Amino acid sequence: MATTPQWIMVGGDGPESYSQHSSYQRALWETAKEKMNEAISAKLSLDLISDRFCVADFGCASGPNTFVAVQNIIDAVEDKYRKETGQNPAENIEFQVLFNDFSTNDFNTLFQALPPGRRYYSAGVPGSFFGRVLPKHSFHIGVISYAFHFTSKNPKGITDRDSPLWNKDVHCTGFNEAVKKAYLDQYSADTKNLLDARAEELVPGGLMLILGSGLRDGVKISETAKGIMMDFIGASLNDLAQQGVIEQDKVDSFSTPLYVAEEGELRQIIKENGKFTIEAFEDIIHPNEELPSDPKILAVSFRASFGAFLSAYFGEDTMTKVFELVEVKARKEFSKIQNAKPGMQYLIVLRKN
Amino acid sequence: MATTPQWIMVGGDGPESYSQHSSYQRALWETAKEKMNEAISAKLSLDLISDRFCVADFGCASGPNTFVAVQNIIDAVEDKYRKETGQNPAENIEFQVLFNDFSTNDFNTLFQALPPGRRYYSAGVPGSFFGRVLPKHSFHIGVISYAFHFTSKNPKGITDRDSPLWNKDVHCTGFNEAVKKAYLDQYSADTKNLLDARAEELVPGGLMLILGSGLRDGVKISETAKGIMMDFIGASLNDLAQQGVIEQDKVDSFSTPLYVAEEGELRQIIKENGKFTIEAFEDIIHPNEELPSDPKILAVSFRASFGAFLSAYFGEDTMTKVFELVEVKARKEFSKIQNAKPGMQYLIVLRKN
């Protein structure tokens, strides 16, 4: 699954694009780091920092972004410990990082890319994060980076042409109320399972840090730049079907197993689940900085996020063609994208009750 | 590294050989299971079996043998718990298995082969087992299956033509006293590091179960069937060099980073290390059952153990040719193999001091 952040490059087309795109990545992580540091400094109980401290990344993919995320957390824990005890964390704390993703994730690549000189023990934890993957009380801080919008599957009926819920589009434009409700119900059930599992695996008082992409209340995904881009992906697939490059049926039965939730929906799900208290829920970047300011880089960004998923379904060639068309559409309608309603890049800090 | 048991098939040549060979595998594990069960029943303190129980396999390779080994251990722990407390382990204990091997091990294959219906959480732990790979007090029982004979590297000088320690052979025939001492020194240093690391990672009172292949005191490896077979591998490599298939220099610089220790040497190393008490040191099968009784199966067995290692150095084609020649030699000198001095298949049970 594409568990890399929305705006982060994983497959590029030329060093220039990459380097341009890369500045978004750095800016995002720099701000996220600051916010995570603040959250850990203010919300993590010092009692939890003892001789052994475990950090877990759920939906880690195969690197390298996970290494940045977990190092940020370890740095923040060490800072807090140093400031509040006056002692050297390197002498007193052994860190362990648990890297979780599906058992089909490329753990070989992850393990071989582990940063040299890291000051933590590593373990890979295979399995779907919608269920239990660790024994009780296994970790102190968990992180989910841009993977909190996934559902375990497409809602029932969504890809079935005979269903009243049939959503012809990849995700957005045809997103009527019934379809939206089907997605939200699926997302709500899956996310509650995810929270139940993490609540058992976390030590009492432990924190979950959730970085992700969401919507402000009342904003439809199709009104945001992200939604417009996803519709371009859908439209490009339909273009290719009309050209006979791929089959229309295959396009019609394709849907993305994710739901970009509104802030109020996220708060409601967490509240109904009841296992965690929301300690913070904040924007990590200003909406103006949310998107690359160039259609090409924008297309590259979305290929980074959705390319692997499309490749798996339609093949590499079709995926490449899709994003060529997406770039053309993005260029043509760039003012629409620039005037779209803002999305939201959030950090949610949860403390286990 | 070839961390699969000496007599266990990993790459075969035809279903018939495999099925014949496979009976050795089953017999070995059946006996090992019994002995491990006894050891756990008698030597594991009931106090250690609480709500969370961790088993770690060091040098697990990519399966499937590791799954048999860890399931044996879990079964034995559950049996003991059931008998001594009258309670149902499934209701009270969460098991976790930590699978360790080099970070270049094929963890993807391992994770995708995890047995369906298993009643344990899984994690892969990448890193050399000669050093620390886990935080302190991470596991309750560790197992090393046929990987306890490895050294971290070839002893200095062994592959250097100008060194007095130069060992022209792959391992055995040229094994003079100075070469043997160089191997033993390397093995002793590496194994003490391994024991130091495990002693820190084990909970107090925890056990290490070590299954492996060794020698009775005073027996030279070259006098055993295993040594004779290793010499056949060396001789076959030299045959291929003389035929011009591979370069003589490459053969001369090839050595196996392992040392098959005598029982007395193993006891001495463990005693000098001082972190563990030997609770049991026993044969797991009768020497007569140690070897397949057919030259073809014997060659297949050794290909299973050494094939990957030879492939990495000489390439797949050469490896295949080597074992064709090994089979011819084994057939020709089968009576020598049958009359060789017995080796030893051991189970060592160590308790952390």
Side-chain angles (χ1 to χ4, degrees):
Chain A
M1 71 200 203
T3 52
T4 41
Q6 174 69 12
W7 315 117
I8 287 187
M9 173 79 178
V10 290
D13 56 358
E16 202 196 335
S17 326
Y18 179 76
S19 104
Q20 280 186 59
H21 177 72
S22 177
S23 66
Y24 288 93
Q25 177 178 346
R26 277 196 301 274
L28 181 71
W29 280 110
E30 276 311 306
T31 329
K33 176 172 176 140
E34 238 169 74
K35 299 272 184 196
M36 283 158 74
N37 214 325
E38 281 166 26
I40 288 166
S41 169
K43 307 296 181 189
L44 183 73
S45 162
L46 186 65
D47 301 343
L48 288 190
I49 313 178
S50 64
D51 53 344
R52 178 175 175 177
F53 196 94
C54 286
V55 176
D57 185 345
F58 296 91
C60 64
S62 55
N65 298 324
T66 181
F67 304 131
V68 179
V70 299
Q71 191 58 55
N72 283 355
I73 292 171
I74 289 173
D75 288 349
V77 172
E78 290 196 326
D79 274 359
K80 183 186 170 80
Y81 181 82
R82 202 179 286 111
K83 276 181 199 149
E84 297 187 18
T85 68
Q87 295 187 62
N88 180 0
E91 283 170 15
N92 301 325
I93 311 172
E94 291 188 341
F95 286 94
Q96 185 182 39
V97 175
L98 306 168
F99 296 98
N100 160 261
D101 211 317
F102 284 122
S103 59
T104 50
N105 182 52
D106 187 355
F107 282 97
N108 288 354
T109 297
L110 181 82
F111 287 164
Q112 284 161 45
L114 282 164
R118 67 195 175 279
R119 215 181 69 64
Y120 54 82
Y121 298 108
S122 307
V125 177
S128 161
F129 65 25
F130 294 114
R132 288 282 301 280
V133 291
L134 290 165
K136 278 177 195 152
H137 303 175
S138 284
F139 66 93
H140 300 81
I141 294 183
V143 63
I144 301 180
S145 291
Y146 289 82
F148 198 56
H149 54 287
F150 285 107
T151 53
S152 67
K153 57 184 178 192
N154 286 313
K156 216 179 155 186
I158 286 294
T159 57
D160 174 4
R161 197 190 282 268
D162 300 324
S163 157
L165 288 180
W166 183 46
N167 184 32
K168 191 177 184 306
D169 298 289
V170 174
H171 200 76
C172 299
T173 312
F175 225 34
N176 65 36
E177 278 308 306
V179 170
K180 182 186 154 75
K181 183 173 181 309
Y183 267 103
L184 176 56
D185 287 350
Q186 181 70 47
Y187 179 73
S188 177
D190 286 336
T191 301
K192 284 171 186 169
N193 286 339
L194 183 159
L195 293 172
D196 280 342
R198 296 303 83 74
E200 297 210 70
E201 295 163 356
L202 250 180
V203 302
L207 303 180
M208 286 296 299
L209 307 179
I210 307 174
L211 284 165
S213 197
L215 292 169
R216 292 177 200 288
D217 291 343
V219 172
K220 288 182 186 161
I221 175 118
S222 57
E223 297 170 332
T224 67
K226 183 172 185 170
I228 295 169
M229 286 295 288
M230 285 176 78
D231 274 341
F232 287 165
I233 294 174
S236 301
L237 283 166
N238 279 308
D239 289 354
L240 292 177
Q242 280 177 350
Q243 291 167 24
V245 176
I246 45 177
E247 289 191 14
Q248 187 66 47
D249 266 6
K250 205 166 161 71
V251 175
D252 290 350
S253 67
F254 176 72
S255 256
T256 45
L258 61 87
Y259 179 75
V260 181
E262 296 174 21
E263 176 171 345
E265 292 165 349
L266 287 168
R267 287 184 181 276
Q268 180 73 13
I269 289 167
I270 294 163
K271 194 178 159 194
E272 283 173 10
N273 169 262
K275 305 281 166 59
F276 291 91
T277 302
I278 299 176
E279 293 281 353
F281 195 132
E282 46 188 342
D283 284 20
I284 49 172
I285 48 170
H286 191 275
N288 290 352
E289 299 166 297
E290 200 184 38
L291 280 180
S293 58
D294 176 276
K296 187 181 183 63
I297 311 296
L298 202 54
V300 166
S301 295
F302 274 80
R303 199 172 88 178
S305 299
F306 293 101
F309 190 60
L310 259 76
S311 276
Y313 204 81
F314 295 103
E316 181 93 12
D317 279 358
T318 300
M319 185 277 282
T320 303
K321 287 195 185 99
V322 164
F323 284 99
E324 283 164 10
L325 293 174
V326 166
E327 189 189 328
V328 172
K329 288 180 204 298
R331 196 174 299 281
K332 213 164 142 187
E333 306 204 47
F334 197 57
S335 68
K336 186 177 165 191
I337 292 171
Q338 285 183 305
N339 295 317
K341 291 192 182 172
M344 181 178 58
Q345 308 296 315
Y346 60 72
L347 170 66
I348 307 174
V349 180
L350 301 180
R351 186 205 299 270
K352 179 177 162 181
N353 292 336
Chain B
M1 72 199 203
T3 51
T4 40
Q6 174 69 13
W7 315 117
I8 288 188
M9 173 79 178
V10 291
D13 56 359
E16 201 196 336
S17 325
Y18 179 77
S19 106
Q20 280 186 59
H21 177 72
S22 178
S23 66
Y24 288 93
Q25 177 178 345
R26 277 196 300 274
L28 180 70
W29 279 111
E30 276 312 305
T31 329
K33 177 172 176 140
E34 238 170 74
K35 298 273 184 194
M36 283 158 74
N37 215 327
E38 281 166 25
I40 288 166
S41 169
K43 307 297 181 186
L44 183 73
S45 162
L46 186 64
D47 301 343
L48 288 191
I49 314 178
S50 64
D51 53 344
R52 178 175 174 176
F53 197 94
C54 286
V55 176
D57 185 346
F58 296 91
C60 64
S62 54
N65 298 324
T66 181
F67 304 131
V68 180
V70 300
Q71 191 58 55
N72 283 355
I73 292 171
I74 289 173
D75 288 349
V77 172
E78 290 195 325
D79 274 358
K80 182 185 171 80
Y81 181 82
R82 202 179 287 111
K83 275 182 199 148
E84 297 188 17
T85 68
Q87 294 187 62
N88 180 0
E91 283 170 15
N92 300 325
I93 311 172
E94 292 188 341
F95 286 94
Q96 185 182 39
V97 175
L98 306 168
F99 295 97
N100 160 262
D101 211 317
F102 284 122
S103 58
T104 50
N105 182 53
D106 188 355
F107 282 96
N108 288 353
T109 297
L110 181 82
F111 287 164
Q112 285 160 46
L114 282 164
R118 66 194 175 279
R119 216 182 68 65
Y120 54 81
Y121 298 108
S122 307
V125 177
S128 161
F129 65 25
F130 295 114
R132 288 282 301 279
V133 291
L134 290 165
K136 278 177 195 152
H137 303 175
S138 285
F139 66 94
H140 300 81
I141 294 183
V143 63
I144 301 180
S145 290
Y146 289 83
F148 199 56
H149 53 286
F150 286 107
T151 54
S152 66
K153 58 184 177 194
N154 286 314
K156 217 179 155 185
I158 287 294
T159 56
D160 174 4
R161 196 190 283 269
D162 299 324
S163 157
L165 289 179
W166 183 45
N167 184 33
K168 192 176 183 306
D169 298 289
V170 175
H171 201 75
C172 299
T173 312
F175 225 32
N176 64 36
E177 278 308 306
V179 169
K180 181 186 155 76
K181 183 173 181 309
Y183 267 104
L184 176 56
D185 288 350
Q186 181 70 47
Y187 179 73
S188 177
D190 285 336
T191 301
K192 284 171 186 168
N193 286 339
L194 184 160
L195 293 172
D196 281 342
R198 296 303 83 74
E200 298 210 68
E201 295 163 356
L202 249 180
V203 302
L207 302 180
M208 286 295 300
L209 306 179
I210 307 174
L211 285 164
S213 196
L215 293 169
R216 293 177 199 287
D217 291 342
V219 172
K220 288 182 187 163
I221 174 114
S222 57
E223 297 169 333
T224 68
K226 183 171 186 170
I228 294 168
M229 286 296 287
M230 286 177 78
D231 274 341
F232 287 164
I233 295 174
S236 301
L237 282 166
N238 279 307
D239 289 354
L240 292 178
Q242 279 177 351
Q243 292 167 24
V245 176
I246 44 177
E247 289 191 14
Q248 187 66 48
D249 267 7
K250 206 167 161 70
V251 175
D252 290 350
S253 66
F254 176 72
S255 255
T256 45
L258 62 86
Y259 179 76
V260 181
E262 297 174 19
E263 176 171 346
E265 292 166 348
L266 286 169
R267 287 184 181 274
Q268 180 73 12
I269 289 167
I270 294 163
K271 194 177 159 196
E272 283 173 8
N273 169 262
K275 304 281 166 58
F276 292 91
T277 302
I278 299 176
E279 293 281 353
F281 195 132
E282 47 189 342
D283 284 20
I284 49 172
I285 48 171
H286 191 276
N288 290 353
E289 299 166 297
E290 200 183 39
L291 280 180
S293 59
D294 176 277
K296 187 181 184 64
I297 311 295
L298 202 54
V300 166
S301 295
F302 274 80
R303 199 172 87 178
S305 299
F306 293 102
F309 190 60
L310 258 75
S311 276
Y313 204 81
F314 295 104
E316 182 92 13
D317 280 358
T318 300
M319 185 276 282
T320 303
K321 288 195 183 99
V322 164
F323 284 99
E324 284 165 11
L325 293 174
V326 166
E327 188 189 329
V328 173
K329 289 181 204 297
R331 195 174 300 282
K332 212 164 142 189
E333 306 204 46
F334 197 57
S335 68
K336 186 177 165 191
I337 292 171
Q338 286 183 304
N339 295 317
K341 291 192 181 170
M344 179 177 59
Q345 308 296 314
Y346 59 73
L347 170 66
I348 307 175
V349 180
L350 301 180
R351 186 204 300 268
K352 179 177 161 182
N353 291 335

